[in-house]
Amino acid sequence: MAKESEGAAVRERSGRGRGRRPMDEVRADVLRTVGELLLAEGTADLTFERVARLSGVSKTTLYKWWPSKGALALDGHFHAVQETLAFPDTGDIRADLLEQLRAFAHVMTRTPGGRVLAELIGQAQTDAELASAYRELYSSQRRRLAVERLGRARESGQIRADVNLQVLVDQLWGAVYHRLLIPDEPVTDDFLVALVDNLLIGIGPHSGHD
Amino acid sequence: MAKESEGAAVRERSGRGRGRRPMDEVRADVLRTVGELLLAEGTADLTFERVARLSGVSKTTLYKWWPSKGALALDGHFHAVQETLAFPDTGDIRADLLEQLRAFAHVMTRTPGGRVLAELIGQAQTDAELASAYRELYSSQRRRLAVERLGRARESGQIRADVNLQVLVDQLWGAVYHRLLIPDEPVTDDFLVALVDNLLIGIGPHSGHD
């Protein structure tokens, strides 16, 4: 596509002049564009070229903010799922975890977003830069949000005071990732319920439903 | 290397004539060779060429048994760690799980075997054939062995009768894989102990140490 028609597409889409908006707003715009692309199509057609055209931001600026396609995809995905994967707080940790885990399983198994993440995790195993982008832009932030909600449950006495909350992240969402990355067993609703109840109730003979 | 010198290397290493051993023995030999290579060096220098030379089995035969380098590596790794990762049964499920998880964490974090598996899982995200080799030759078998041991604990009343054992595999070993593949948090001994105790004791306020 020639430069002129790209410029036209930008003006058509953005409906405003160039270089006048605050940087944060421009960034948010780009992330929204990338997020929409990813949830609709996955990473196959995600290129800096296309994102530049759709968002009206130069490739040079895009590369400055996101040094690789992986970083751009991760940041876009994080923002695209931020609301869907928010941690509800009704005061009932069991119900809230289940609701969030169901939303998470839906994104991961029913939208291209699941493939996007699995492929980026896959690629990160042999790409140290992508691995650190993954942690910075996605997983450590998701982990922090989960631990915040779990922390409130611990404060309110729904989780025992001596429990390490980081470990719970691995035994809930990590267990789901395990089934997504090594799909010997499916991610079903029964699975999600069991993840939560195994922890809240325990699996030992003296643990019990109250 | 010329054909003759490869032949010499084979005779030197195997110390016996060609084509006289039963197929199972030859296969076991190849897997042992591959397993040793992997635990010492990872996959970097694993080639059909080299395995053929070291084991005295033709590349044609190797390809017939293992259609890809990934399949060969997985089968070799499975056999290399089979003894180390065996599931002990002293009758005490907590102690036995901890012992096995410690051995597993050691293989995964202190030998090249961990890198081998992580890279194969990574590659399997975009390689359907490797993904199915992974499940067939490695993960589904490891899962079966874990569930066998957990099943005996359930029979002896150390795990409640209504607990789905498959889910425990994801909340124990799957949680470790999560920290290996997305290393936001380290795999420490405290982590392994917490994995087991969170499940056996439960994390809720009414769960308790007995």
Side-chain angles (χ1 to χ4, degrees), chain A residues 115 118 125 135 139 157-158 160 170-171 174 178-179 181-184 195 198-200 202-205 207 210, chain B residues 115 118 125 135 139 157-158 160 170-171 174 178-179 181-184 195 198-200 202-207 210:
Chain A
R115 270 293 91 217
Q125 302 313 310
R135 292 198 299 275
S139 59
Q158 296 188 311
R160 275 204 328 276
D170 302 288
Q171 292 190 294
H178 187 236
R179 289 205 175 186
L181 295 170
I182 310 173
D184 286 313
L195 288 178
N198 284 349
L199 291 167
L200 284 177
I203 64 166
S207 56
D210 46 295
Chain B
R115 271 292 91 216
Q125 303 311 311
R135 292 198 300 275
S139 58
Q158 297 189 310
R160 276 204 328 278
D170 301 289
Q171 292 189 293
H178 187 236
R179 290 204 174 187
L181 295 170
I182 308 173
D184 286 312
L195 288 178
N198 284 350
L199 290 167
L200 284 177
I203 64 167
H206 304 302
S207 57
D210 46 296

Side-chain angles (χ1 to χ4, degrees), chain B residues 135-186:
Chain B
R135 292 198 300 275
E136 260 172 59
L137 296 172
Y138 192 77
S139 58
S140 71
Q141 309 226 38
R142 294 301 318 165
R143 192 177 265 278
R144 182 177 50 74
L145 294 168
V147 166
E148 266 174 32
R149 176 65 189 93
L150 293 167
R152 289 197 296 279
R154 194 167 63 178
E155 278 162 33
S156 72
Q158 297 189 310
I159 292 175
R160 276 204 328 278
D162 62 311
V163 170
N164 180 325
L165 303 176
Q166 294 291 351
V167 180
L168 301 182
V169 175
D170 301 289
Q171 292 189 293
L172 293 168
W173 296 274
V176 178
Y177 275 107
H178 187 236
R179 290 204 174 187
L180 294 166
L181 295 170
I182 308 173
D184 286 312
E185 296 284 325

Side-chain angles (χ1 to χ4, degrees), chain A residues 82-147:
Chain A
Q82 201 165 14
E83 266 183 60
T84 315
L85 300 190
F87 289 85
D89 190 351
T90 66
D92 177 347
I93 188 63
R94 181 175 185 279
D96 290 350
L97 283 176
L98 271 178
E99 187 181 329
Q100 205 281 344
L101 282 165
R102 281 170 176 145
F104 172 63
H106 180 85
V107 167
M108 296 302 285
T109 59
R110 308 274 177 201
T111 75
R115 270 293 91 217
V116 170
L117 278 200
E119 291 180 16
L120 289 169
I121 294 168
Q123 216 184 313
Q125 302 313 310
T126 48
D127 179 339
E129 215 171 298
L130 180 62
S132 90
Y134 194 94
R135 292 198 299 275
E136 259 173 59
L137 296 172
Y138 193 76
S139 59
S140 71
Q141 310 227 37
R142 295 300 318 164
R143 189 177 268 276
R144 182 177 50 73
L145 294 169
V147 166

